[in-house]
Amino acid sequence: MNTAIPVLAAQNLVVEYRQHRAVDNLNLQIPQGCVYALLGGNGAGKSTTISTFLTFNRPSSGQVLIEGESPHTNAELVRAKLAYLPENVALYDVMSGLENLTYFCTLANIRLSSDQAHDLLLDSGLQADAHQKRVAAYSKGMRQKVGLAIASAKQAKAMLLDEPTSGLDPSAANDFAQRIRAAADRGMAVLMATHDLFNAKQVADRIGIMKNGRLLEEFDAHTVQHDELEQKYLAHARGLA
Amino acid sequence: MIKTIIRKEFLATLRDGRLLTLGVALLVLFAGFFLASAYELQQLRAEKHSVGTTAKEQWNTQSVKNPHAAAHYGIYVFKQDTPVAALDPGLRPYIGQALWLEPHKRNLTRFSPAADQVLAGRFGQATTSFVLTALLPLLIVALTFNSISQERESGTLRMLHSLGVDAGQLLFGKLLGLMTAFSVVLAPALLLAAVILLGNFAFTLDDVLRLLALLVLLNLYYGIFAALAISASASFNTSRTTLFCLLGFWLASVFIAPRLGVVGAEILAPNPSASEFWREIKEDIDHGLEHDGDHEERAKAFEAQVLAQYGVSRKEDLPVGFVSLNRQYNDAYSVKVHALHFDALRDNFVRQQHLSHLGSWLGPSLALRSLSMTLAGMDLAHQRHFEDAAEEYRHYFINLTEDWDRERSRGTERKATGAEADWRSVADFSYQAPDIGFALRTAKLDFLVLLLWLGLSIGLLRISARRLVP
Ligand SMILES: Nc1ncnc2c1ncn2[C@@H]1O[C@H](COP(=O)(O)OP(=O)(O)O)[C@@H](O)[C@H]1O
Ligand SMILES: [Mg+2]
């Protein structure tokens, strides 16, 4: 694998909804093993950015690239290389976690034995006694775990997370952060949208502050001080900086 | 992939409490209506059989009398319905059940043209067929209106998209999965219907074929609704909009289209009024059809011809009864005129039925309803087939009595008589209903309309798949 090509990249990306510019000239590069946190308040354009990688949206100009290729010209890329985890992992309530995992995997052309499916769920932190229960009875954290299991089953190159920890209790959020970190350490590139500074600092390698569709500032998460980051974030949020 | 989707949709639909509740409600409703329909049909069949037999027995046991007087006693005949009519009584509510056969005059069973109604487009009341053709599509709509919008709202559609699921396969998988689940829910009701039918009626192979054909067509019909509902669900933004649109479509298809069709047919191909109809027949008999001369001219010509034929100069010298001979001649002429007008009227009913498809652009219900009626043998074409057979039987027994009258009399005297042995020698009316081939030929246009709707709904489903926004 050529490590020079970032797994995820946005080049002069502009995405518009009718007249409204949701993403404005965004440039991003996320290499293998890197967790990139897009930090910003509501309406900053984080979800739109993620959606564009997944081809839910089309760029008005500029482009997104997955290992150097545009998913908008090669639709297969999304299926082959991306895993997606929204804030509320969408699953079918009348089916069990195990059935959801198997169904989604089969549709993605991944054949799982029953043992493999159980292992994936266990590895993602879902207790064995929950596997056969209907998802309707799951907590948000449990759904996230099924989502993670699907992502691991895909053996994706990159994972796109949209507010993954919002609404999780602190210990579940912490547990989730560690799993993301572990996935990145195995070589996965991660793009994570969040408005939670603490969460960004905890998991990310790089942090970009986004507002009104623009990337205002980038930080190395390992070197930036929490206080400094917090001040900048708040200043940007208030429109001071 | 599509198999996985079908299987999942099937299971998910079955697990969804809605379907089960609806299924049970449906079973109860259907069982109620169906039992009532089957019972009604059975009663009717028994009654027709018994009245028919009694009528013929009364005919048989007439006293010694003039054969023509006996003919005036008349015979009632009945069209025996197929067991399939338990599912769809078709035009029965609007059609007279008995046909009175008498000399000189051909009677109408069903249509009084005076009513000025296009019976072809009429819908039955709350019957089994109402459940099958109107309520079940509503159930389909209730089950499918949010099949895609729900996935969009919950986010699973994006999940599927990110997994590279082909939208076409997803939509068609949903269609097939839902239809399978629907069949499973419907199965107990159908099974019950089959048990009741087989237990109470003698089935011929033709009846079974008709029943199966009806089942296939009903499934296509439900498929049309399901495909349209899924398309709508994929295309509209919210479940609510989808539901309103689909309910509108259902109303239009089930209730408005038939009425619209009827109105259109009435305007474009009006029926004569009853008085007009009978007056024209009388006029044509009195004044004669083209080149035939009026009644008096024809009578004179006929008398001259008979005298020449028997080589006598006076009616009184004829070796056979002239009264009967003359009557037979007049009746034959009347039959010819009646047939002309009856056929014209009934051709107009067919034309109206075809024209009523002007309402079919609003939905497939009109076509299905018409197909179902035809397969149940309860439509105009089957009625006409029966009436023609009855008319032939009328000629048969009237001519027989005239033969006796003529042969047993001479000149102008009226002395011929017949006795019970004669009356008894008139064969019973035994009617052979046409086979399914007849039904299918009759329903060609309806079938075509249904297929067009099927094509349209599948086409729309493909378009929605191509344009599906996750
Ligand atoms: N489907 C949509 N149609 C129109 N505008 C949208 C749509 N989705 C998002 N927007 C707008 O685009 C901007 C960015 O939204 P989004 O990407 O969801 O922001 P974030 O995820 O950072 O909260 C917002 O102003 C939002 O109102
Ligand atoms: Mg968002």
Side-chain angles (χ1 to χ4, degrees):
Chain A
M1 172 89 272
N2 187 350
T3 46
I5 301 178
V7 182
L8 299 176
Q11 296 180 341
N12 305 321
L13 179 67
V14 176
V15 184
E16 286 165 334
Y17 296 108
R18 298 210 181 85
Q19 294 304 311
H20 181 70
R21 202 167 259 224
V23 174
D24 191 359
N25 204 33
L26 179 75
N27 284 286
L28 268 187
Q29 295 213 341
I30 308 172
Q32 263 191 25
C34 172
V35 178
Y36 190 109
L38 269 182
L39 185 62
N42 286 335
K46 308 182 296 291
S47 295
T48 305
T49 305
I50 286 182
S51 296
T52 311
F53 277 102
L54 290 160
T55 69
F56 301 157
N57 293 324
R58 294 193 74 84
S60 308
S61 67
Q63 59 179 349
V64 292
L65 297 172
I66 300 169
E67 291 192 324
E69 269 191 276
S70 164
H72 292 97
T73 52
N74 180 3
E76 172 64 11
L77 286 174
V78 173
R79 189 193 69 72
K81 299 190 172 172
L82 301 186
Y84 170 52
L85 228 76
E87 177 181 350
N88 291 300
V89 172
L91 300 170
Y92 296 102
D93 280 353
V94 293
M95 307 200 304
S96 70
L98 191 71
E99 286 172 324
N100 269 286
L101 172 65
T102 317
Y103 178 61
F104 283 119
C105 285
T106 312
L107 291 187
N109 266 329
I110 306 161
R111 302 271 153 205
L112 293 180
S113 70
S114 156
D115 283 351
Q116 284 171 317
H118 279 294
D119 286 349
L120 278 166
L121 289 172
L122 285 173
D123 288 349
S124 306
L126 191 70
Q127 307 275 307
D129 59 355
H131 294 188
Q132 313 269 21
K133 284 194 183 130
R134 288 199 186 178
V135 165
Y138 280 22
S139 70
K140 188 166 173 177
M142 291 164 82
R143 287 167 175 263
Q144 288 282 15
K145 286 169 181 166
V146 177
L148 260 186
I150 297 169
S152 352
K154 269 189 96 174
Q155 298 183 307
K157 291 279 163 50
M159 190 146 57
L160 300 160
L161 311 173
D162 198 348
E163 313 275 3
T165 53
S166 73
L168 292 188
D169 65 60
S171 96
N174 187 47
D175 177 74
F176 185 79
Q178 277 173 19
R179 290 180 192 281
I180 297 302
R181 193 62 256 170
D185 293 345
R186 288 194 298 269
M188 180 107 73
V190 180
L191 173 59
M192 177 171 82
T194 182
H195 58 255
D196 177 355
L197 187 143
F198 180 78
N199 175 237
K201 183 87 176 69
Q202 183 183 27
V203 208
D205 298 305
R206 284 191 75 71
I207 298 173
I209 295 184
M210 201 175 180
K211 192 187 173 192
N212 291 337
R214 296 211 189 125
L215 194 59
L216 301 176
E217 220 170 322
E218 281 189 301
F219 302 91
D220 182 328
H222 302 295
T223 56
V224 70
Q225 292 302 306
H226 189 92
D227 290 351
E228 182 195 353
L229 188 62
E230 187 168 10
Q231 274 179 8
K232 296 257 178 174
Y233 184 30
L234 287 175
H236 283 306
R238 293 185 189 123
L240 297 177
Chain B
M1 178 145 89
I2 193 157
K3 262 197 234 154
T4 314
I5 299 175
I6 295 174
R7 216 173 61 97
K8 178 249 156 192
E9 288 302 325
F10 172 68
L11 285 176
T13 315
L14 284 190
R15 282 185 199 170
D16 183 347
R18 267 189 313 175
L19 184 68
L20 211 65
T21 319
L22 287 171
V24 171
L26 193 73
L27 178 65
V28 173
L29 187 74
F30 186 81
F33 276 135
F34 186 73
L35 273 172
S37 301
Y39 178 74
E40 189 190 344
L41 178 65
Q42 205 183 21
Q43 292 294 105
L44 204 66
R45 277 166 62 103
E47 207 171 305
K48 282 180 179 181
H49 182 76
S50 105
V51 175
T53 319
T54 312
K56 181 62 177 29
E57 192 51 30
Q58 282 171 345
W59 162 274
N60 285 346
T61 52
Q62 291 183 80
S63 56
V64 172
K65 60 173 88 159
N66 173 270
H68 185 64
H72 268 288
Y73 193 82
I75 297 180
Y76 265 116
V77 292
F78 298 88
K79 169 168 172 278
Q80 202 54 284
D81 300 336
T82 67
V84 190
L87 286 171
D88 190 346
L91 298 176
R92 192 202 289 142
Y94 314 105
I95 289 181
Q97 294 302 297
L99 187 51
W100 168 241
L101 305 179
E102 57 176 338
H104 313 310
K105 186 161 178 282
R106 178 169 180 175
N107 289 311
L108 283 166
T109 38
R110 60 219 198 299
F111 289 114
S112 69
D116 258 343
Q117 279 168 340
V118 183
L119 293 162
R122 279 299 192 98
F123 268 53
Q125 317 91 318
T127 57
T128 307
S129 81
F130 183 78
V131 176
L132 290 175
T133 61
L135 288 187
L136 286 186
L138 193 61
L139 178 67
I140 299 252
V141 165
L143 283 176
T144 42
F145 77 94
N146 64 355
S147 59
I148 301 292
S149 49
Q150 189 184 40
E151 298 230 22
R152 182 179 290 127
E153 281 154 22
S154 77
T156 43
L157 196 57
R158 290 194 150 192
M159 195 77 181
L160 293 171
H161 182 74
S162 77
L163 293 173
V165 175
D166 178 75
Q169 297 209 0
L170 177 67
L171 264 52
F172 280 93
K174 272 192 178 288
L175 174 64
L176 296 176
L178 277 163
M179 287 303 292
T180 316
F182 182 69
S183 313
V184 167
V185 172
L186 204 59
L190 290 180
L191 211 64
L192 179 78
V195 168
I196 294 174
L197 278 179
L198 290 170
N200 288 288
F201 302 100
F203 265 78
T204 64
L205 177 63
D206 198 65
D207 296 333
V208 175
L209 290 177
R210 280 167 181 265
L211 211 55
L212 289 178
L214 183 56
L215 216 60
V216 169
L217 291 172
L218 277 171
N219 270 300
L220 291 183
Y221 175 65
Y222 301 145
I224 292 171
F225 273 91
L228 288 174
I230 293 173
S231 291
S233 177
S235 310
F236 294 122
N237 277 330
T238 66
S239 303
R240 211 151 60 122
T241 318
T242 314
L243 185 59
F244 279 125
C245 288
L246 287 172
L247 283 180
F249 173 72
W250 176 80
L251 273 175
S253 178
V254 172
F255 294 106
I256 301 174
R259 278 159 183 74
L260 204 69
V262 167
V263 171
E266 266 170 2
I267 293 171
L268 294 171
N271 284 324
S273 69
S275 56
E276 218 179 316
F277 179 71
W278 293 117
R279 195 192 53 209
E280 280 175 8
I281 289 178
K282 189 172 179 313
E283 267 174 19
D284 278 350
I285 291 172
D286 290 348
H287 302 307
L289 298 167
E290 237 179 314
H291 312 306
D292 283 354
D294 67 13
H295 181 73
E296 242 158 72
E297 286 163 359
R298 293 199 310 274
K300 272 204 193 106
F302 179 69
E303 191 180 323
Q305 181 223 316
V306 170
L307 295 180
Q309 185 188 339
Y310 285 95
V312 295
S313 55
R314 294 186 325 146
K315 292 187 283 191
E316 286 75 10
D317 301 334
L318 282 169
V320 293
F322 181 76
V323 176
S324 166
L325 211 51
N326 189 42
R327 199 166 48 219
Q328 226 168 348
Y329 170 75
N330 283 334
D331 276 357
Y333 197 81
S334 150
V335 161
K336 184 169 138 189
V337 172
H338 272 90
L340 223 59
H341 285 267
F342 270 66
D343 284 346
L345 178 65
R346 298 182 307 180
D347 286 346
N348 200 50
F349 290 144
V350 173
R351 204 156 32 242
Q352 287 187 328
Q353 159 134 39
H354 290 168
L355 282 170
S356 72
H357 278 301
L358 285 173
S360 273
W361 60 272
L362 281 178
S365 303
L366 184 61
L368 189 273
R369 199 63 191 77
S370 187
L371 273 165
S372 149
M373 238 184 244
T374 303
L375 282 170
M378 302 304 286
D379 65 339
L380 290 169
H382 283 79
Q383 182 69 15
R384 183 172 182 167
H385 186 276
F386 161 76
E387 286 175 0
D388 287 345
E391 176 65 4
E392 213 159 283
Y393 180 68
R394 187 173 78 92
H395 299 167
Y396 153 75
F397 85 81
I398 301 291
N399 281 331
L400 208 54
T401 56
E402 293 297 1
D403 288 348
W404 297 327
D405 205 340
R406 191 182 62 247
E407 301 300 338
R408 296 171 192 180
S409 182
R410 306 169 55 80
T412 50
E413 63 179 35
R414 302 167 182 253
K415 288 193 178 143
T417 56
E420 191 168 328
D422 293 317
W423 319 142
R424 252 182 218 291
S425 74
V426 171
D428 290 349
F429 175 63
S430 80
Y431 172 61
Q432 182 63 47
D435 64 9
I436 185 173
F438 172 89
L440 295 178
R441 280 193 301 280
T442 302
K444 266 189 308 228
L445 182 64
D446 304 320
F447 189 56
L448 187 72
V449 171
L450 195 72
L451 282 187
L452 280 176
W453 267 103
L454 189 67
L456 181 75
S457 63
I458 300 278
L460 279 176
L461 198 61
R462 278 164 169 258
I463 293 174
S464 335
R466 214 170 306 138
R467 300 176 38 175
L468 186 67
V469 181

